[in-house]
Amino acid sequence: MSTNGDLRLEAAEGLSGILPGGIPKDRSTRRVIEPAERIAEILFGLIMVLTFTGSLSVAEAGRDDVRAMLIGALGCNLAWGVIDGLFYLMGCLAEKGRNLAAYKAVLNATTTDEARGLIAGALPPLVVSLLKPEELDALRERALRLPPPADRARLDRQDWVGGWAVFLLVFIATFPVAIPFMFIDSAPIAMRVSNAVAVAMLFAAGFAYGKVIHRSPVAIGVAMVFIGVVIVTFTIALGG
């Protein structure tokens, strides 16, 4: 069972999300992107490349067709990796802006009840349900003793690293599925190997996601394979 000290620590960590430059975090324990986000980026890149490999007619494809497909798949994932990385940075900046606004609102609150409501809104509901009103007040007092916040939200090094990580995950997910076409001359054989790699990657991603959400990894892995195949099939059908 958590002690009051543990709850205050957890609450302070949650409140630190709205304290720019306030409660320091151990940067070595911060994840650049969360496991679920990493899995989502890999799946996105994988499905993108599958729409290219799946649209290749192996019965009629020559080396030029395979080369064009590879260039298209790599180029598309490169472009979407850049776009997704930029979206990630935009999301980080928007979150920092909201946090900064919430922090200033806590500092400028005119009543105790208003400050409590603002702090409670920044914390996970489970944590809020376990905290006493005086503990919320203690958090506000701690915030008031911290240095003044920045005038505006800014991206930090961790955010830029996260943007690069998103780009790389989307782009690198292309290669395992595309590699068979680079080294196997027979298009039908390359397609079968590529599909086997894709199924294995979809299952592995689903297996990992099952662990993240505390569900059966095998069941989620199988479901991910099915969902991936359905999405690719519809994408190819609508695009063709």
Side-chain angles (χ1 to χ4, degrees):
M1 180 179 294
S2 298
T3 65
N4 286 342
D6 294 332
L7 292 176
R8 276 192 284 269
L9 176 59
E10 188 174 355
E13 290 175 347
L15 183 61
S16 67
I18 68 167
L19 302 181
I23 299 175
K25 286 186 177 182
D26 180 0
R27 297 186 72 85
S28 65
T29 64
R30 287 180 58 189
R31 288 172 171 158
V32 174
I33 50 178
E34 294 298 320
E37 294 175 324
R38 292 198 294 266
I39 295 167
E41 297 300 342
I42 291 172
L43 285 170
F44 177 78
L46 179 58
I47 289 173
M48 287 292 292
V49 71
L50 282 174
T51 61
F52 283 85
T53 60
S55 63
L56 185 69
S57 176
V58 294
E60 303 173 359
R63 294 307 302 172
D64 290 341
D65 298 314
V66 172
R67 187 180 300 108
M69 181 273 295
L70 290 175
I71 293 173
L74 293 171
C76 184
N77 272 30
L78 176 64
W80 275 108
V82 172
I83 293 170
D84 220 17
L86 290 175
F87 283 164
Y88 173 87
L89 293 175
M90 290 171 62
C92 289
L93 191 59
E95 181 181 4
K96 287 175 179 289
R98 289 192 299 269
N99 291 342
L100 181 59
Y103 175 48
K104 290 181 177 179
V106 170
L107 296 181
N108 296 328
T110 57
T111 66
T112 302
D113 288 340
E114 181 185 358
R116 288 174 182 171
L118 291 167
I119 294 172
L123 297 174
L126 177 60
V127 175
V128 174
S129 69
L130 298 173
L131 290 176
K132 298 178 181 178
E134 54 268 28
E135 291 173 321
L136 293 174
D137 295 339
L139 289 172
R140 190 200 181 202
E141 290 300 320
R142 185 176 181 182
L144 290 170
R145 293 194 297 268
L146 294 172
D151 294 331
R152 58 183 179 178
R154 294 180 176 86
L155 295 174
D156 59 22
R157 178 180 176 277
Q158 201 80 354
D159 298 323
W160 287 103
V161 171
W164 276 106
V166 168
F167 162 75
L168 289 174
L169 284 172
V170 173
F171 183 56
I172 291 175
T174 308
F175 289 96
V177 179
I179 282 176
F181 293 97
M182 299 177 183
F183 297 100
I184 300 176
D185 292 331
S186 172
I189 296 177
M191 177 65 80
R192 284 194 288 270
V193 174
S194 176
N195 288 342
V197 171
V199 168
M201 290 183 66
L202 286 169
F203 180 81
F207 190 92
Y209 187 65
K211 288 187 173 182
V212 170
I213 63 174
H214 304 290
R215 298 289 183 88
S216 169
V218 174
I220 300 299
V222 172
M224 195 65 72
V225 172
F226 175 76
I227 292 171
V229 170
V230 170
I231 291 174
V232 171
T233 300
F234 272 103
T235 302
I236 294 172
L238 292 173

